[in-house]
Every structure is written in C-alpha cells, then in structure tokens.
Amino acid sequence: MVASARRRFSRRLSFQIPRKDARAEDDVPHGTRKRMEIPIRLLVLMTLLSATAKLLARYGAREGGKADPSPPATWVEEPWSAYDFWTRRSAVEATFWEENEDRVFMRDFYPRLGRFRRVLDVGARGYNRRCKDLINSTSTEYVQMEPNPPSDRSEMRNDGLLEMYMKDVPARRPDLAGSFDVVIDFGVFGWDEIQMLFSGDEDVRMYVDGVRFLLGEGGMWALKTDRDWVAEEDEFIAKWISPHFRQGKFDTYESGHNIGDKESEDGEYKFHWFYKLR
C-alpha cells in the first residue's frame, strides 16, 4: 500500500520539459544556449513543486469547505508526513480503510485482539490511527513502536509509545523482555523497501531477535508481507524465522493467508502467524 501510494505521488509530480522551438534556437548563440538551459529547467521545476504544494494545502477544503491551516510543508524532507496528510482527513481515511484490500482484512483482524493482555504494533502513523479503536477493549494495552513519530501526535492513538528501532529494544529496554502477547508487523519487516535498508544479514538477525525478545512464550508475531518483499520467501523464512518460530493458525485464518489480486496495482499481501518457540 505504501509503495503504491508513493508511486501515485510520483506520477502526480512527473512532468516533461517542453521541447525548444528549433527556429528560436537559431537566434541564440551556442554558448549562451548551454548556460541558459539548466537555470530554465530549475525554474520550471521549482514552479511546479510550488504549485503542487499549494494544491496539497488546499485539499483540506473537502472538509467543511476550509483549507488546512497546517499543510504538510515538510513532506519532501519527511515523506511520511505527506502520507499522513491524506490519511488524517476523515473522508479520505474512511475511503482508505474501505477500498484497500489489506485494510478491509485488518478491520476484521484487529477486533480479535481484545482477548490479549498486551499488544505491540510496529509503526505509528495516520495509516493505523484507528487500530486501537478497532480492538475496542479496555483490558488490552495497545502499544506502538515508532523511532520517528509524527510531530502531530493526533496521528497516533495508543496506550504507550516506544521511540526506537526494533533491533535496539533489547539494549535500550531490557525491562520489556517477554512482555507482549502479540507483535503486529504490518508493512515494516515484510516490505521490500525496508529489506533494502538493512545493511546485511546482521540487521535482519537483530530485527528478528528484537521481536523474539519482546514476545512471551508462545507469543504471536503477526507479519504482513508484500509480494516480492524478498527474492525467495520460503528460503528467507526457513533461514531467519523458522528456527525461532512455528507457523500456525490465528482463529479461522491459516498462516500465509493471501489477499489481493497479483495483477492489481497494490499487489498481493500475505498474513503470517508465527508463534515463538521456547
């Protein structure tokens, strides 16, 4: 979902530099033409980016007819903030949860977590702001993990926040060993862009070790994977996950539960249920 959202943003920002009129070029000295080319292109680019930012700011007009007083001015430097801008609008957020196949599944999944004492959700942004409400349980503590939380804290709803990376948890929070019944990992470890950020096998091992550290005995790692998140999924799981977890069902869902058409723009999603071994 996130990757496709970024592609859609990219398409909105794409443009072509108009071809120069050959007859007009004849009137410009050759050396002058080369010196003028780069500044003109930069001017066109800056103009288009400015116009795009204004359109984003005005998108809030669909709510009450008023423009957003705090548009995502830093979305170029912090890509997630633009994504939050879209998902925090009530009308857009409702569509987001109704039309995306993974969110439709998650609307059924999260209410089933009310039986657990303590749940950790990896990631805290507008895209999962309503998950605590979906659980709808006063006896379930819902904690999120986000090393770079949004400046607008209304983007998050939780009972606690861990501002750190998964690999750093054992060293920074030794008190959390075995303290969670479920770790929800939808769109982080199982996303190809995160896998590409790992510097090597050690980063992968430390991430898996972080999940193991947090889970109590028999605790569940609910992992969503996108299509093509790794080159060889079965081999990857056998090497990094299976030595420490067993796959099993969660309620009526088998591990590897598949949703989404392989040919659709958003691709295919799988939901795996890994249970921590002793």
Side-chain angles (χ1 to χ4, degrees), residues 169-170 173-179 208-215 276:
V169 172
R173 292 297 305 271
D175 58 301
L176 293 179
S179 61
V208 176
D209 284 351
V211 176
R212 291 172 56 208
F213 175 83
L214 289 168
L215 285 172
K276 179 183 175 181

Side-chain angles (χ1 to χ4, degrees), residues 118-132:
R118 208 170 189 208
V119 173
L120 175 70
D121 207 343
V122 183
R125 295 284 169 178
Y127 62 79
N128 60 0
R129 182 178 62 166
R130 65 169 57 183
C131 294
K132 175 177 167 59

Side-chain angles (χ1 to χ4, degrees), residues 136-231:
N136 191 29
S137 171
T138 57
S139 61
T140 300
E141 184 180 2
Y142 177 74
V143 180
Q144 292 181 297
M145 173 182 289
E146 177 58 62
N148 300 295
S151 55
D152 182 356
R153 293 304 172 103
S154 68
E155 294 296 325
M156 303 180 294
R157 285 185 191 150
N158 54 53
D159 300 311
L161 179 67
L162 299 179
E163 295 188 43
M164 62 191 69
Y165 292 98
M166 181 65 75
K167 66 184 181 67
D168 298 327
V169 172
R172 294 184 58 184
R173 292 297 305 271
D175 58 301
L176 293 179
S179 61
F180 288 94
D181 303 307
V182 180
V183 170
I184 305 167
D185 194 339
F186 292 168
V188 183
F189 189 74
W191 181 28
D192 61 339
E193 294 198 26
I194 294 295
Q195 288 291 326
M196 288 187 289
L197 289 176
F198 289 149
S199 59
D201 288 355
E202 183 65 8
D203 278 355
V204 176
R205 182 192 65 77
M206 291 179 69
Y207 190 103
V208 176
D209 284 351
V211 176
R212 291 172 56 208
F213 175 83
L214 289 168
L215 285 172
E217 184 177 333
M220 183 179 72
W221 182 11
L223 176 65
K224 185 191 94 168
T225 59
D226 291 5
R227 182 162 57 99
D228 300 328
W229 65 294
V230 290

Side-chain angles (χ1 to χ4, degrees), residues 29-59:
H30 181 70
T32 303
R33 187 186 314 129
K34 284 183 173 288
R35 289 193 299 271
M36 291 173 59
E37 183 176 354
I38 293 177
I40 291 175
R41 288 173 182 265
L42 286 175
L43 178 61
V44 173
L45 176 60
M46 292 173 64
T47 302
L48 287 174
L49 286 175
S50 176
T52 302
K54 290 178 180 178
L55 286 174
L56 286 172
R58 292 172 183 171
Y59 192 81

Side-chain angles (χ1 to χ4, degrees), residues 93-130:
E93 186 178 11
T95 301
F96 176 73
W97 279 87
E98 291 168 4
E99 296 186 355
N100 290 283
E101 293 164 317
D102 59 337
R103 301 292 146 175
V104 172
F105 173 80
M106 289 159 64
R107 279 163 44 197
D108 179 71
F109 168 77
Y110 275 92
R112 301 178 187 228
L113 301 177
R115 74 187 75 164
F116 297 107
R117 179 182 59 87
R118 208 170 189 208
V119 173
L120 175 70
D121 207 343
V122 183
R125 295 284 169 178
Y127 62 79
N128 60 0
R129 182 178 62 166
R130 65 169 57 183

